[in-house]
Amino acid sequence: MTKPLNVGMVGYGFMGKAHSNAWRKVGYFFPELESRPVLRAIAARTADKVSAFADVWGYETVETDWRRLIERDDIDLVDICVPNRFHKEIALAAAGAGKMICCEKPLAMDGAEAEEMVAAVERAGTPNMVWYNYRRVPAITLARQLIDEGRIGRPYHYRASFLQDWTIAEDVPQGGAALWRLDVSAAGSGVTGDLLAHCIDTAMWLNGPITRVVAETEIFVKERLHQETGKVEPVGIDDACMFLARFENGSMGTFESTRYARGHKALKTLEVNGEAGSVFFDLHDDQWLSFFEYRTPKSGEKVDGHVTGWRKIHVTNFEHPYMSHWWVPGLSIGYEHSFVHAAADFLKGVETGTPAEPTFRTALQTQRVCDAVLSSARSGQWTETGVAG
Ligand code: SOE
């Protein structure tokens, strides 16, 4: 027996597409779920643009004020896909109306806002999730499985990077439709909240709480034309950020992100080195997980040094996370599927009562680390994150 679950989307940009696609496809590939998402309504300010998006994706109705969408009795779930500065207001209203909420990352502009959002959803007792989609790339989920199985042993190092190059030109404006990520008043921060937040979420999921950080940030282009004011204005976001981290489990981390790495479009990598093995992932090669397994030779055993090496696992077998829902072994999936998996896990969480991660409360921890990173970059000091296991 299936039952409809009415989705009300707020926003229709790049993430609006990714989420709409996920709600549309999840029932086809995870037919065991009871809930069948229905694209009931979408809200955005510009009537002709939101109507055009609704036609393409099959939304039944359109609102030009998100408040109207939240007031409607025929909406069960509000999906927030608008610039970060609007997340809190929409989430508080949606929680007040008792709706389920899925919010695009980062949860908020900063930790203080995120705390209010956590309090609101927990008061309302309404299911909630933040779309940190990379946890659900099967190769990354497999990395978590290998770590949980003890295959890398005691972790020593965590290394993460997220490199892009799309803001190098000085004449790229800030603010407005596609470029709000460059406007600090809309985004809250630059690469820290936009890109490193992904790396931090994945890192804490794989390797536990980050307790202290020391960071450096840089703004390479100091002024840009602001599309909304029409004036050249100071740039307030971090163009690049690097930080060192200490994890509660005693391991050390390095994190780097920039939008000025010429040639790199979305080079997201992670590596964990442990006493017994290592894992390495690269988003440009996202069906693969590299795994090195060290085995202490038994006494008298000859070590086959000439065949010792990294194993590259093609994460497409039915035994691999999520893959039994797709094609047959050897055939790959990609970026969009991480959102379908998030939608599936969310719905499963609603059905079983075990919430899908990251909830707003879990995503607040990522927000706290981001705050500590930005604060450390200002002070030049090691900074406690306040995050504990
Ligand atoms: C920025 O370019 C961006 O689109 C992020 O906002 C996404 O979260 C990331 O997954 C890809 O890059």
Side-chain angles (χ1 to χ4, degrees), residues 14 104-105 133-134 162 164 166 181 194-195 198 335:
F14 159 41
E104 180 46 28
K105 51 55 60 178
N133 59 302
Y134 294 112
F162 203 150
Q164 299 186 334
W166 59 281
R181 286 178 177 78
D194 191 35
L195 303 179
H198 278 302
Y335 176 73

Side-chain angles (χ1 to χ4, degrees), residues 56-369:
V56 170
W57 285 95
Y59 281 91
E60 294 173 4
T61 55
V62 165
E63 300 286 353
T64 50
D65 183 345
W66 57 262
R67 290 177 191 81
R68 266 288 305 135
L69 179 137
I70 286 174
E71 282 163 9
R72 285 171 50 164
D73 291 337
D74 65 343
I75 297 297
D76 303 311
L77 182 154
V78 174
D79 189 344
I80 306 174
C81 288
V82 286
N84 306 343
R85 79 167 147 219
F86 301 118
H87 287 190
K88 183 182 101 175
E89 194 184 0
I90 299 172
L92 295 192
K99 310 293 187 194
M100 305 178 200
I101 312 175
C102 292
C103 184
E104 180 46 28
K105 51 55 60 178
L107 177 57
M109 299 281 275
D110 55 34
E113 279 198 3
E115 272 175 37
E116 281 186 63
M117 294 163 80
V118 170
V121 291
E122 290 186 353
R123 213 170 24 242
T126 177
N128 55 89
M129 183 186 74
V130 180
W131 293 88
Y132 278 111
N133 59 302
Y134 294 112
R135 289 178 177 221
R136 292 177 168 95
V137 172
I140 295 185
T141 316
L142 179 63
R144 164 78 195 238
Q145 189 185 325
L146 299 185
I147 291 168
D148 286 352
E149 287 169 1
R151 285 173 187 268
I152 70 159
R154 176 183 166 191
Y156 295 130
H157 292 285
Y158 192 97
R159 218 165 284 116
S161 64
F162 203 150
L163 313 181
Q164 299 186 334
D165 73 351
W166 59 281
T167 64
I168 296 180
E170 298 201 0
D171 60 0
V172 175
Q174 59 173 316
L179 294 166
W180 61 266
R181 286 178 177 78
L182 303 195
D183 174 4
V184 72
S185 70
S189 69
V191 295
T192 301
D194 191 35
L195 303 179
L196 282 174
H198 278 302
C199 302
I200 294 165
D201 172 73
T202 311
M204 293 205 286
W205 185 55
L206 294 179
N207 198 39
I210 293 174
T211 52
R212 294 194 297 141
V213 293
V214 64
E216 278 284 343
T217 56
E218 183 56 79
I219 303 174
F220 293 117
V221 175
K222 309 282 185 211
E223 293 186 323
R224 291 183 187 272
L225 177 71
H226 197 295
Q227 298 205 101
E228 282 167 346
T229 63
K231 294 191 191 129
V232 173
E233 293 185 10
V235 170
I237 57 152
D238 40 306
D239 286 335
C241 177
M242 294 176 182
F243 73 93
L244 303 180
R246 296 303 310 229
F247 287 82
E248 197 176 66
N249 64 14
S251 61
M252 309 167 77
T254 63
F255 291 76
E256 180 188 7
S257 186
T258 179
R259 295 184 181 129
Y260 286 69
R262 185 64 91 193
H264 290 306
K265 306 301 170 193
L267 184 69
K268 182 183 189 304
T269 58
L270 72 86
E271 179 162 351
V272 196
N273 309 128
E275 186 184 6
S278 293
V279 288
F280 173 79
F281 170 82
D282 170 354
L283 184 62
H284 286 175
D285 231 355
D286 60 358
Q287 314 121 53
W288 297 91
L289 182 71
S290 298
F291 174 47
F292 184 91
E293 192 168 32
Y294 176 79
R295 202 169 53 77
T296 315
K298 297 194 187 100
S299 89
E301 188 187 0
K302 180 176 160 295
V303 177
D304 282 339
H306 61 303
V307 288
T308 303
W310 284 78
R311 206 186 298 172
K312 218 175 155 193
I313 305 170
H314 196 215
V315 189
T316 59
N317 287 352
F318 291 141
E319 295 88 342
H320 288 138
Y322 301 106
M323 291 310 294
S324 62
H325 290 273
W326 297 99
W327 321 118
V328 293
L331 303 186
S332 47
I333 59 168
Y335 176 73
E336 67 170 289
H337 304 87
S338 59
F339 292 90
V340 180
H341 300 159
D345 287 347
F346 179 78
L347 297 177
K348 189 170 164 206
V350 172
E351 286 166 19
T352 59
T354 304
E357 291 285 348
T359 59
F360 279 24
R361 176 160 289 285
T362 305
L364 163 64
Q365 309 289 36
T366 292
Q367 207 78 53
R368 287 195 172 126
V369 176

